[in-house]
Amino acid sequence: MSRHVGTPGQWRDWISYFPALVRLEPAVRETLLDNSFEVRLSAGETGFREGDACNNFILRIEGWSRIQRLSSNGREVLLYRVGPGDSCVLTTSCLLGVAHYPASSVAETELREVAIAGSAFRRLLNGSDVFRHFVFEHYGRLLSDMIALLDELKFRRLDARLADLLLARTADGDVLEDTQTRIATDLGSTREPVGRILKHWERQGWIALARGRIEVCQREALTALAADM
């Protein structure tokens, strides 16, 4: 469960994390601050579940979460991830359409975010050009990212996408601590084909595998493969 920290109106410095909102009209700014509150989650906690009512517009300050749903055969499917500075496409669309969540959100790390009451969100969306531009700029960018992800799933080879993932998640070091099952889910695949590719790379000396751990040994080889469309 999410943990509210304080009550609406008490946390009044969060706008500084979103430079585009600094230009808000003074009255709109006060309305926004009076109708928002801080939320914190620990890694592994659920932010919302499929079927939940959507009551607040969320803006992420710190941390990462996964937006996912279960397929008809019970397999977890990652839709996208939400990180610092982001809003959530599903949250925005559910608030605009007064709909329930069609997926769930799970914290990957500790999270800190701001929740804006849905009633205030709709009121400000209609009454403030600055706020409306901010919301739809985020919505359009994240929607474009989702379309790009669908294109990758349809047109790009799994080994190239896996190489990209390993390179991105070891950018600050050579070791990724994650399970092959979770990696496969993030790629829209299953563990078996991902495991076969990783074993092949291990035999070539590109990576070293251990339980819940992948060490990248040949970044140049993975970079060349990732560039092979």
Side-chain angles (χ1 to χ4, degrees), residues 93-144:
S93 61
C94 288
L95 283 171
L96 293 174
V98 195
H100 289 71
Y101 282 110
S104 60
S105 170
V106 178
E108 292 185 321
T109 66
E110 289 192 355
L111 301 185
R112 183 184 183 215
E113 55 194 20
V114 60
I116 301 164
S119 57
F121 167 83
R122 297 185 187 92
R123 188 162 68 251
L124 295 179
L125 200 64
N126 290 326
S128 168
D129 290 340
V130 173
F131 186 71
R132 183 167 54 252
H133 177 78
F134 171 81
V135 169
F136 284 111
E137 189 275 332
H138 273 251
Y139 184 76
R141 175 169 54 82
L142 293 170
L143 193 59
S144 295

Side-chain angles (χ1 to χ4, degrees), residues 113-178:
E113 55 194 20
V114 60
I116 301 164
S119 57
F121 167 83
R122 297 185 187 92
R123 188 162 68 251
L124 295 179
L125 200 64
N126 290 326
S128 168
D129 290 340
V130 173
F131 186 71
R132 183 167 54 252
H133 177 78
F134 171 81
V135 169
F136 284 111
E137 189 275 332
H138 273 251
Y139 184 76
R141 175 169 54 82
L142 293 170
L143 193 59
S144 295
D145 289 345
M146 289 185 67
I147 293 171
L149 174 61
L150 291 174
D151 283 343
E152 281 216 342
L153 289 174
K154 185 173 182 180
F155 299 115
R156 199 171 179 215
R157 296 197 322 266
L158 177 60
D159 59 349
R161 293 190 287 117
L162 177 55
D164 247 353
L165 182 147
L166 291 184
L167 291 169
R169 296 191 185 179
T170 57
D172 298 325
D174 292 329
V175 176
L176 171 63
E177 295 185 353
D178 207 345

